[in-house]
Amino acid sequence: MKEKAKKYHLKPNPVPEFINNALDDEQLDAVLNSSGRTLIVAGPGSGKTRVITYKIAHLVASGVKPENILLVTFTRAASREMIERARRASGSDLRGMLAGTFHHICNYFLRKYSHRIDINANFTILDREDAKDLIKHCRSQLLEELSKKGASILPGAGVLQSIYSYAINCGLSLREAIVHQSKKFLGVEEHIEEIWKRYSILKIENNSLDYDDLLVKALQLFETNLEALEIESTRFRWILVDEFQDTNILQYKLVELLSHVHGNLVVVGDDAQSIYSFRGARFENVFDFLNSGNTKIFKIQTNYRSTPEIVKLINNIIPSNAVEKSLKAVRESGPLPVVAETWDNMEEANFIAQKIEEHINDGILPEKIAVLYRSHYHSLELQMELDRRKIDYILFSGPKFVETAHVKDIIAFLKVLVNPADQLSWGRILRLFPGVGSTTSLRIIETIRLSLGNEDKILETLRKFDGSRIKLGKLIKIFEAMNEDKQPVNAIQTIFHTFYSNYLDEKYPDARERKLDIERLMEISERYSGISELLEDLAVSEKVDIERERIERESKVVLSTVHQAKGLEWDVVFIIAVNPGDFPSYFALNEGNIDEEERIFYVAVTRARDYLYIIRQKGGRSRPMMGNRYVFRSGYDFIAKIPEDTVEFWDIGWDL
């Protein structure tokens, strides 16, 4: 009888020194032991990029060929950075590795397997503007056939694009997407659907795909072509996904399919930082992934960014519906975070500007200072105050207040009220109305110029041009009302309620945010008795050069929405207007969507390295009225949830 064979155990390959020395214990555990279905929960400031970088380097060092690794990121910059770091760490050129954004890898698959999905391999990709132009063409075509009936209530191309994209990325019906984006357009649902059909046909005729098509078609490819799926799933022994909390349902399904042969799907992210639901991101993907199959979980919880005082506060505001975690601080102690209470927005702006000057005088560079807010309109008073004090700043949240198209439109109305000879402003106003292009506006402006000195004649001119094709009725109503009252706030309210509110709904997908800007302009205008005085102060805030691409970031304080600030950090962070109805947003409170607001606040607080100021107003909400509606000053309050021993309270006031 044959003797029982002796066991001989192979020793695991030693961990390369370059990996051992570069990672802390939690990071090293995740890099070495993540396999199969794995979720790596990476808290803020914990070295997420380092973990992914060294995971790639470790795989290559262990004998995995680069062409058998797929890395999916959310920006090209992130992909390039990780690949470059992994190259340096591993000493491999990583040739053959597929890495990039979801749209990049989907483009790769579609060109490779185009013959299997009935598209031409030489298809062109429509960027957002190209796609919008095509939708605009289909919309115009339909309106011609409808003899322009319903033109005033049919949404513009940008809004249509937003509705279509939301439906696709969230897996919703067109009707559900319209309800989410703007219920007022349900009455023209059939027209919206018809434009979508024509847009889809036109893309096929032009051999073009838009960004959403790349995801949809790639998913369709692998769901209907099992051979193609088998080839790619066999090829990719390892799939790594960055920022997994920001994936939508299509992206989640795609990586699940591609990992079905080897099963090594390693996703990295933090559900507490998922703040892009308006683009279709589902933080629920993290929980769905965690709860399906034998998913391993690793937590990277050492925070290298913030002081212990800020980390303690962070641990007390982790969103309630999030994977449990507790960050550990390693930096030296610093000052307690501050909760500062100001009387109103003007006092808030003065306080922040003064503290910025103090920090700069103490040696902190301006670009290491940031002011964060829930919505762009919260920064308007601050912009004006920084301009007055000649403190340079850069906006990550959009153009300066007075450079935005919607504010410039309102200002144009005000300018012609005090200076009817302002032909530039007349041109801007007239082109807002149906049937008025460049040629027609020049004809109207010339007739107005000949009528100067007599306001009645200006109105007569507008009535003369108003007709079936050129529709100036609402403009005439505005100026009839203006003749009686030229108080700035009343003038803006008349413009807004008579015409401009509906115009924003029809033209812009972010109409809600733009309306808040106009309402903040109304609030500012209440402090002025005359339009000329208001225009003079706004002019101080205007920049001569508005070519935003040329603005250098050096030596400029950053003003940003929290969404634009994600992934960034500063030595000094101010979070403004932290009042119920402002932050958390009134709309979110009204819709019962507090989960997202908690995550946005969490992201804001976690941007700070050394100094953190959370600012609120004594009266509660910074603006209690929205149009004609009273908005509550109480409700879900982030500051009420903060333990008193984690912050210092300041009462801001003037020295008298």
Side-chain angles (χ1 to χ4, degrees), residues 72 74 102-103 106 128 164-172 211-216 219 241-256 274 276-286 288:
V72 192
F74 268 79
F102 273 98
H103 294 102
C106 288
R128 297 291 179 200
Y164 301 152
S165 187
Y166 191 77
I168 291 166
N169 286 292
C170 295
L172 301 175
Y211 287 152
D212 295 328
D213 290 330
L214 294 174
L215 297 178
V216 172
L219 187 58
V241 184
D242 184 26
E243 303 285 11
F244 184 67
Q245 76 279 351
D246 293 332
T247 52
N248 63 34
I249 194 68
L250 302 178
Q251 293 160 337
Y252 181 27
K253 286 180 179 177
L254 193 62
V255 293
E256 283 276 26
S274 177
Y276 297 118
S277 65
F278 64 94
R279 292 199 309 226
R282 293 180 77 247
F283 77 90
E284 294 92 346
N285 283 353
V286 172
D288 290 348

Side-chain angles (χ1 to χ4, degrees), residues 96-166:
M97 180 175 165
L98 181 59
T101 64
F102 273 98
H103 294 102
H104 172 78
I105 65 162
C106 288
N107 176 51
Y108 166 83
F109 291 134
L110 290 176
R111 294 196 190 277
K112 184 174 179 180
Y113 295 104
S114 58
H115 60 288
R116 294 176 183 262
I117 199 167
D118 199 26
I119 58 176
N120 292 324
N122 64 339
F123 64 83
T124 55
I125 299 173
L126 301 171
D127 64 21
R128 297 291 179 200
E129 281 306 308
D130 292 336
K132 186 174 160 185
D133 287 344
L134 215 54
I135 293 169
K136 189 175 183 179
H137 170 77
C138 297
R139 179 184 184 276
S140 300
Q141 191 183 58
L142 180 63
L143 286 174
E144 282 293 324
E145 293 169 17
L146 296 170
S147 303
K148 302 219 171 189
K149 287 177 187 173
S152 61
I153 58 166
L154 197 57
V159 177
L160 290 168
Q161 183 180 40
S162 179
I163 291 169
Y164 301 152
S165 187
Y166 191 77

Side-chain angles (χ1 to χ4, degrees), residues 44-106:
S46 65
K48 167 179 69 71
T49 301
R50 179 173 288 265
V51 169
I52 297 172
T53 296
Y54 279 90
K55 181 65 185 178
I56 295 168
H58 179 248
L59 290 174
V60 174
S62 303
V64 178
K65 294 177 182 177
E67 60 263 33
N68 298 135
I69 303 171
L70 171 62
L71 169 66
V72 192
T73 63
F74 268 79
T75 66
R76 283 178 292 181
S79 175
R80 283 195 298 266
E81 181 187 1
M82 289 176 192
I83 294 299
E84 188 50 43
R85 287 191 189 184
R87 279 190 186 120
R88 289 199 300 266
S90 65
S92 165
D93 63 11
L94 301 181
R95 186 170 297 164
M97 180 175 165
L98 181 59
T101 64
F102 273 98
H103 294 102
H104 172 78
I105 65 162
C106 288

Side-chain angles (χ1 to χ4, degrees), residues 413 433 473-483 491 494-496 498-500:
F413 278 97
F433 292 86
K474 288 181 180 175
L475 178 59
I476 293 164
K477 275 187 184 176
I478 289 168
F479 280 100
E480 283 173 342
M482 299 287 200
N483 284 337
T494 300
I495 297 160
F496 185 68
T498 304
F499 160 69
Y500 203 69

Side-chain angles (χ1 to χ4, degrees), residues 623-650:
R623 181 172 172 80
M625 297 297 291
M626 296 188 72
N628 296 322
R629 307 187 307 279
Y630 179 79
V631 179
F632 48 78
R633 286 172 173 261
S634 60
Y636 195 97
D637 186 352
F638 287 139
I639 290 172
K641 309 277 183 186
I642 296 174
E644 290 188 6
D645 65 339
T646 63
V647 294
E648 189 171 285
F649 291 90
W650 290 7

Side-chain angles (χ1 to χ4, degrees), residues 267-278:
V267 304
V268 184
D270 181 4
D271 61 296
Q273 296 185 66
S274 177
I275 60 173
Y276 297 118
S277 65
F278 64 94

Side-chain angles (χ1 to χ4, degrees), residues 344-544:
D344 58 15
N345 304 96
M346 294 301 293
E347 197 169 84
E348 176 184 69
N350 276 281
F351 165 65
I352 293 169
Q354 183 173 309
K355 283 305 297 180
I356 287 172
E357 287 176 333
E358 288 174 11
H359 281 301
I360 291 172
N361 290 338
D362 288 340
I364 294 177
L365 297 172
E367 63 266 28
K368 300 290 186 182
I369 302 172
V371 183
L372 307 182
Y373 31 84
R374 176 62 179 87
S375 298
H376 184 59
Y377 76 90
H378 289 139
S379 71
L380 306 187
E381 282 93 346
L382 179 59
Q383 288 183 47
M384 294 177 76
E385 184 59 30
L386 294 177
D387 283 324
R388 284 192 193 100
R389 296 188 186 222
K390 295 184 169 52
I391 298 174
D392 286 337
Y393 62 92
I394 181 171
L395 281 150
F396 284 5
S397 52
K400 288 190 69 177
F401 174 41
V402 292
E403 291 169 6
T404 55
H406 47 292
V407 173
K408 285 175 79 72
D409 288 344
I410 299 295
I411 289 173
F413 278 97
L414 300 181
K415 283 180 176 178
V416 299
L417 279 174
V418 296
N419 176 21
D422 187 338
Q423 296 183 39
L424 195 64
S425 293
W426 272 117
R428 186 178 190 95
I429 292 166
L430 290 165
R431 287 192 296 273
L432 298 175
F433 292 86
V436 182
S438 298
T439 305
T440 305
S441 70
L442 288 173
R443 282 172 47 222
I444 299 172
I445 290 166
E446 179 57 23
T447 312
I448 288 172
R449 191 181 66 79
L450 297 172
S451 307
L452 291 178
N454 187 327
E455 287 186 0
D456 289 337
K457 281 195 174 179
I458 292 174
L459 276 169
E460 280 176 29
T461 297
L462 295 177
R463 290 189 188 104
K464 184 177 115 181
F465 278 93
D466 183 37
S468 59
R469 190 178 67 84
I470 300 170
K471 300 187 182 300
L472 299 177
K474 288 181 180 175
L475 178 59
I476 293 164
K477 275 187 184 176
I478 289 168
F479 280 100
E480 283 173 342
M482 299 287 200
N483 284 337
E484 299 165 15
D485 190 344
K486 288 190 180 179
Q487 289 288 313
V489 64
N490 294 338
I492 297 170
Q493 284 174 345
T494 300
I495 297 160
F496 185 68
H497 296 304
T498 304
F499 160 69
Y500 203 69
S501 177
N502 283 335
Y503 173 81
L504 289 175
D505 283 333
E506 291 158 21
K507 185 169 177 63
Y508 295 108
D510 59 346
R512 195 158 76 174
E513 291 292 319
R514 292 175 188 259
K515 286 181 184 182
L516 292 173
D517 281 0
I518 303 303
E519 287 173 351
R520 182 50 61 86
L521 180 60
M522 289 179 202
E523 183 185 9
I524 292 169
S525 70
E526 287 172 349
R527 305 179 191 128
Y528 296 85
S529 57
I531 293 174
S532 295
E533 186 189 356
L534 171 64
L535 290 174
E536 284 167 18
D537 268 13
L538 290 173
V540 173
S541 294
E542 279 196 87
K543 286 178 77 76
V544 176

